[in-house]
Amino acid sequence: MNDKPFFVDRSSGIQKTYAEFVQDVNAVQFVGSVYSAEDQYVLLTSLVAALCCDQDIALHQGASKGSKNDRAMQSLKPNLKQSALWDTISTSKSKVGMSTSGTTGRAKFIQHRMETLTRTIRCSLHHQGDVWGLTYDLASFAGLQVVLQALCNSNTIVRLASLESSAMHDEIRTLGITHISATPTWLRLFCSDGISHASVSHITTGGEIADRALIDQAHARFPNATFRNIYASTESGSVLLSDGDLFRVPLNLTDKVRVENGILAIHRSLLAESIRGHDASEFYVTGDCVEVLSKEPLTIRFAARRNDWINVGGNKVNPYEIERLLVSMVGIADARVFGRTNSVTGNIVCCEIVRSAGAAIKHADIRIALEKLVASYMIPRVIEFVDAIDKTPTGKKSRSE
Amino acid sequence: MSETMELRVVSEAIDEVLDESGRKRTCDITTATRLRADLDFDSLDLAVLTVKLEAKTGVDVFARGIVSTVGELMCRIDER
């Protein structure tokens, strides 16, 4: 196992074996907040060093804005043994914090214990030869799942996220990637290249609804792969798995997952530790609308994620937050932000703008102002200037087209 | 729609996507132009492109999967 590659990231020229990784972890002296834009491998060594020392760590997507919220760095002296790598990680008492949409000041911060993070990790001899293609940011729940699954079975992780399309196909071919976890949007783009890969045996999608048409297209590109869809939210971590678009609640969770008025509810014991305490009720209502296809065993299909939130390629956008930013801009009197279904990214953020009297604010002005404040997927791409915004009889702005 | 018309409609939509994201086109648009490799379009650019083309032609060009060249886009518009 000493020579086995652990992490390959051609975009930054990194290739590390398991032995080198353990050495690098033991060289980490301080941890606190880690930002994924800096270096994904550094994030990984910091994370494992913190886990080794039962130290809490905060993972953020994107770059540090030098905000006051950054925690102070803690010093530590990891003493990781390669032979005890997974035992050390899986029994760690650390809390791992992640923010949901880490680019704005009001991102929700959720802390997970290893028990939640490893709930669906499978360790077995069958997985020894797996090679993982990493399409997610390491500071995301889905990215962390890939890393933990790979660490648990001493697999190689190949970072595909920042590679150009041709380099990505090369990596999959030359390194013999067998497992890919990705959003449906990533898969849609990947399929458009028209290149097939026989080495891939498992594709996991999550974050958005993967429709039948996409699964059919992906079958043509990955003729030997089985597909499964995963239901996970930042609050609960991974909970349910499906083969296509139907989720069957497993026996061990029958008393922990239920549907209340068409909305999925999850028992508190399955939630991330940091939100368990805030919610006094026994079940946490996820806000995800589901259709019940059978009661025993409970089989459901997701209708739409959180009604008001807009899911852009697996990233959730809060329309209220974007509206608040828009109406605080000079030249805008009122705004309505809503999602529109899209064949590429699932949904796209749209908005209607009412200009202030005499103001001449343009599409480009809005984009330039928002670029400094939020991630690119949050910026409304379809902007319409209107005289007034329609409200519902109760005075609310409509969230549909 | 004639082929020249289609190419013009697609070019206009591409220029709008580039313009709205503060970029300039650096190559001529022909049927062989690749959306991702030559124009550097990401998934959000493609998402906007299909909204614009749908407004102009009534066709959601990526409804049956994403294509990679301008020529393939024109075929999708033809097939309506």
Side-chain angles (χ1 to χ4, degrees):
Chain A
M1 176 166 135
N2 271 358
D3 297 332
K4 192 166 181 178
F6 161 63
F7 192 76
V8 181
D9 182 358
R10 208 202 283 185
S11 69
S12 56
I14 286 177
Q15 171 150 351
K16 298 280 186 175
T17 62
Y18 267 85
E20 288 167 330
F21 174 60
V22 170
Q23 258 177 28
D24 292 339
V25 168
N26 285 333
V28 174
Q29 294 177 327
F30 299 96
V31 291
S33 288
V34 194
Y35 289 84
S36 64
E38 284 151 28
D39 185 329
Q40 298 263 306
Y41 182 69
V42 169
L43 182 144
L44 207 45
T45 50
S46 306
L47 168 69
V48 174
L51 294 176
C52 263
C53 302
D54 292 332
Q55 189 73 56
D56 294 351
I57 184 167
L59 307 178
H60 299 278
Q61 291 184 39
S64 167
K65 297 244 180 1
S67 92
K68 286 177 286 186
N69 297 333
D70 282 8
R71 293 171 183 196
M73 300 290 269
Q74 300 286 331
S75 69
L76 40 84
K77 284 198 180 119
N79 183 22
L80 180 64
K81 302 270 188 301
Q82 194 177 336
S83 55
L85 181 59
W86 181 247
D87 281 346
T88 311
I89 291 172
S90 58
T91 57
S92 172
K93 294 183 179 61
S94 304
K95 283 182 276 194
V96 180
M98 272 173 279
S99 43
T100 47
S101 52
T103 42
T104 63
R106 307 175 80 195
K108 187 156 60 163
F109 189 76
I110 303 230
Q111 283 186 309
H112 290 281
R113 291 255 185 215
M114 288 316 284
E115 163 201 334
T116 335
L117 290 173
T118 58
R119 191 187 296 139
T120 54
I121 302 299
R122 298 286 169 262
C123 235
S124 97
L125 288 176
H126 294 300
H127 291 300
Q128 266 186 352
D130 296 355
V131 179
W132 279 90
L134 180 68
T135 68
Y136 290 105
D137 191 302
L138 277 180
S140 69
F141 192 89
L144 216 48
Q145 291 291 292
V146 169
V147 165
L148 292 172
Q149 175 70 29
L151 277 170
C152 168
N153 293 288
S154 311
N155 300 147
T156 301
I157 302 168
V158 183
R159 189 160 176 248
L160 300 176
S162 51
L163 295 178
E164 292 206 341
S165 152
S166 61
M168 191 159 68
H169 290 290
D170 280 352
E171 291 290 78
I172 297 177
R173 213 173 10 245
T174 53
L175 297 168
I177 290 178
T178 58
H179 287 59
I180 294 176
S181 171
T183 60
T185 293
W186 185 92
L187 207 54
R188 257 178 230 124
L189 282 182
F190 190 90
C191 289
S192 76
D193 294 337
I195 297 170
S196 299
H197 292 282
S199 69
V200 178
S201 61
H202 289 79
I203 306 263
T204 306
T205 57
E208 300 167 76
I209 298 169
D211 52 51
R212 201 65 246 175
L214 174 63
I215 295 174
D216 290 345
Q217 272 177 47
H219 266 302
R221 299 288 168 241
F222 302 102
N224 301 320
T226 54
F227 290 79
R228 60 177 202 168
N229 204 348
I230 195 157
Y231 170 81
S233 62
T234 319
E235 293 85 353
S236 64
S238 320
V239 176
L240 303 174
L241 295 174
S242 81
D243 292 327
D245 55 353
L246 296 187
F247 288 82
R248 197 160 287 131
V249 177
L251 281 176
N252 60 333
L253 293 180
T254 40
D255 54 344
K256 296 201 165 91
V257 175
R258 67 185 191 201
V259 177
E260 295 174 357
N261 304 319
I263 310 270
L264 182 72
I266 289 172
H267 194 266
R268 291 176 61 173
S269 60
L270 296 179
L271 297 181
E273 169 150 314
S274 58
I275 55 165
R276 244 181 245 171
H278 298 312
D279 193 352
S281 62
E282 210 185 346
F283 277 80
Y284 170 77
V285 180
T286 62
D288 293 327
C289 301
V290 292
E291 186 187 345
V292 177
L293 290 121
S294 123
K295 288 208 164 139
E296 275 179 35
L298 183 58
T299 307
I300 55 177
R301 181 193 282 143
F302 286 87
R305 292 286 171 98
R306 259 165 251 268
N307 281 340
D308 292 353
W309 288 53
I310 307 162
N311 188 332
V312 183
N315 296 302
K316 319 289 189 303
V317 180
N318 179 350
Y320 301 98
E321 187 183 347
I322 307 302
E323 246 167 46
R324 186 178 55 80
L325 293 171
L326 286 169
V327 296
S328 67
M329 285 168 61
V330 175
I332 296 183
D334 199 3
R336 178 174 83 95
V337 174
F338 55 98
R340 181 167 162 184
T341 49
N342 186 278
S343 51
V344 182
T345 50
N347 291 281
I348 187 167
V349 181
C350 303
C351 76
E352 287 177 347
I353 302 280
V354 180
R355 291 189 179 104
S356 312
I361 191 161
K362 294 186 301 292
H363 193 135
D365 303 326
I366 293 173
R367 172 183 54 81
I368 291 164
L370 287 180
E371 267 172 357
K372 297 186 194 114
L373 303 168
V374 298
S376 114
Y377 63 84
M378 298 178 175
I379 299 174
R381 298 287 155 156
V382 180
I383 299 178
E384 200 185 341
F385 292 94
V386 296
D387 294 331
I389 282 166
D390 289 339
K391 305 249 165 71
T392 64
T394 52
K396 288 182 183 157
K397 290 174 188 171
S398 161
R399 295 295 150 195
S400 57
E401 272 184 67
Chain B
M1 215 186 281
S2 72
E3 204 178 302
T4 343
M5 267 288 278
E6 265 172 21
L7 186 60
R8 194 185 311 151
V9 167
V10 172
S11 304
E12 267 173 25
I14 287 172
D15 284 341
E16 285 171 29
V17 173
L18 289 170
D19 183 52
E20 284 171 13
S21 57
R23 291 176 289 174
K24 289 259 178 296
R25 177 149 58 84
T26 54
C27 59
D28 284 338
I29 292 179
T30 68
T31 52
T33 305
R34 292 167 302 172
L35 301 169
R36 293 168 64 203
D38 299 330
L39 297 170
D40 201 23
F41 271 24
D42 65 9
S43 58
L44 281 167
D45 297 323
L46 294 173
V48 181
L49 182 64
T50 193
V51 171
K52 297 211 176 282
L53 285 174
E54 191 170 3
K56 290 174 199 284
T57 67
V59 183
D60 176 359
V61 286
F62 297 134
R64 290 187 293 112
I66 295 168
V67 294
S68 65
T69 66
V70 166
E72 288 165 337
L73 271 184
M74 290 162 58
C75 286
R76 287 281 168 90
I77 296 170
D78 264 345
E79 287 164 11
R80 77 176 135 168

